[in-house]
Amino acid sequence: DKYEVSNSDYKKYIDATYSKSPRSWKDGKFSADDADLPVMVTYHEALSYAKWAGKRLPTEQEWEKAARGPGLFDDSIKTISYPWGNDFRPEYANCREFWANGVANEIKKKFYLHGKGLLPVVSFEKGSSPYGAINMSGNAGEWTSSWYRAYSGNKRSDKRYGSQYKVIRGGAWYSPRDKIRAASRQVGGIPDLYSDNTAGFRCVRKAKILDRQADHN
């Protein structure tokens, strides 16, 4: 998906399936003021939405490829650290430095904001990835379907490794610059995958023939 799933997107799912509202909605009610912000849900809520939409959650490898472009698996192309390139740009992502450096003033005026927090999923088009995906750094962390396990060849032990927690990618609006790098990974599902609602998400689906044809037109 080009964008993170918004609250208005999720409301369509709630209305269609009569599912329970996420805990991130105040008093369990949808707010029109938050319609365009990324919805904050548990892993299983994200999983259910993706299935309803005819899609699925990305693996962390798929997520990173979408964020960093073809260079991730092609040595002939330079790999980038952030979706937009190697140089950190605080005005390109909703992160700690964005709010701290005064570059947020224009955004605050545009959306009538008085404090720090999530921004609409369509924000920060300048910081889009090589494939055109927006907000892959900052704003809301994003669930992946991958278990939080050690990479091949990793010798560092971590009691969180295994089939208990999921990988969250992208960092959040309060994350520092090193945590919103495309390669950075966080742990999701503490205390469990049914109650941790600290992340948003975007979906993926297998490319179809018509998609491939459109890419060549």
Side-chain angles (χ1 to χ4, degrees):
D1 287 351
K2 183 176 182 177
Y3 304 110
E4 299 156 311
V5 174
S6 68
N7 284 304
S8 60
D9 294 327
Y10 202 80
K11 184 179 186 301
K12 294 175 184 175
Y13 158 71
I14 293 290
D15 292 344
T17 62
Y18 301 101
S19 296
K20 186 178 179 180
S21 299
R23 287 190 295 113
S24 58
W25 288 4
K26 187 176 180 179
D27 298 324
K29 297 179 180 179
F30 170 78
S31 170
D33 291 338
D34 298 334
D36 297 328
L37 302 183
V39 65
M40 305 299 286
V41 295
T42 69
Y43 172 78
H44 285 285
E45 286 173 330
L47 203 63
S48 295
Y49 175 96
K51 185 176 181 180
W52 167 79
K55 302 177 183 181
R56 59 181 174 81
L57 297 181
T59 64
E60 66 169 318
Q61 292 91 345
E62 289 172 329
W63 190 97
E64 188 171 339
K65 173 75 182 299
R68 302 179 77 179
L72 186 61
F73 298 114
D74 187 341
D75 294 335
S76 67
I77 302 175
K78 189 175 181 180
T79 304
I80 56 178
S81 298
Y82 298 96
W84 57 84
N86 280 313
D87 295 329
F88 174 68
R89 302 288 296 271
E91 71 273 24
Y92 281 10
N94 183 10
C95 61
R96 182 186 296 176
E97 286 77 7
F98 170 78
W99 297 103
N101 291 343
V103 295
N105 291 337
E106 186 177 335
I107 287 284
K108 283 185 176 181
K109 290 178 182 177
K110 182 178 180 180
F111 297 110
Y112 304 100
L113 300 174
H114 301 288
K116 307 172 185 178
L118 295 168
L119 290 172
V121 298
V122 297
S123 306
F124 299 99
E125 189 166 352
K126 287 183 178 179
S128 62
S129 78
Y131 294 117
I134 295 176
N135 275 315
M136 298 204 80
S137 277
N139 212 26
E142 299 179 17
W143 289 107
T144 74
S145 62
S146 298
W147 292 111
Y148 187 72
R149 293 171 175 162
Y151 289 146
S152 176
N154 175 52
K155 308 232 188 288
R156 182 175 66 89
S157 63
D158 190 325
K159 63 181 182 181
R160 298 173 299 177
Y161 286 154
S163 300
Q164 52 185 335
Y165 304 120
K166 293 290 183 177
V167 174
I168 290 176
R169 288 299 196 109
W173 63 267
Y174 50 80
S175 300
R177 58 190 292 176
D178 63 310
K179 296 298 183 182
I180 67 165
R181 291 181 301 107
S184 181
R185 61 198 315 229
Q186 288 83 46
V187 182
I190 300 174
D192 60 69
L193 294 169
Y194 288 93
S195 58
D196 180 6
N197 67 335
T198 57
F201 68 105
R202 72 181 74 215
C203 303
V204 297
R205 65 172 170 79
K206 187 175 181 180
K208 298 177 181 178
I209 294 296
L210 290 178
D211 296 325
R212 299 191 181 107
Q213 289 176 342
D215 288 339
H216 293 287
N217 292 334

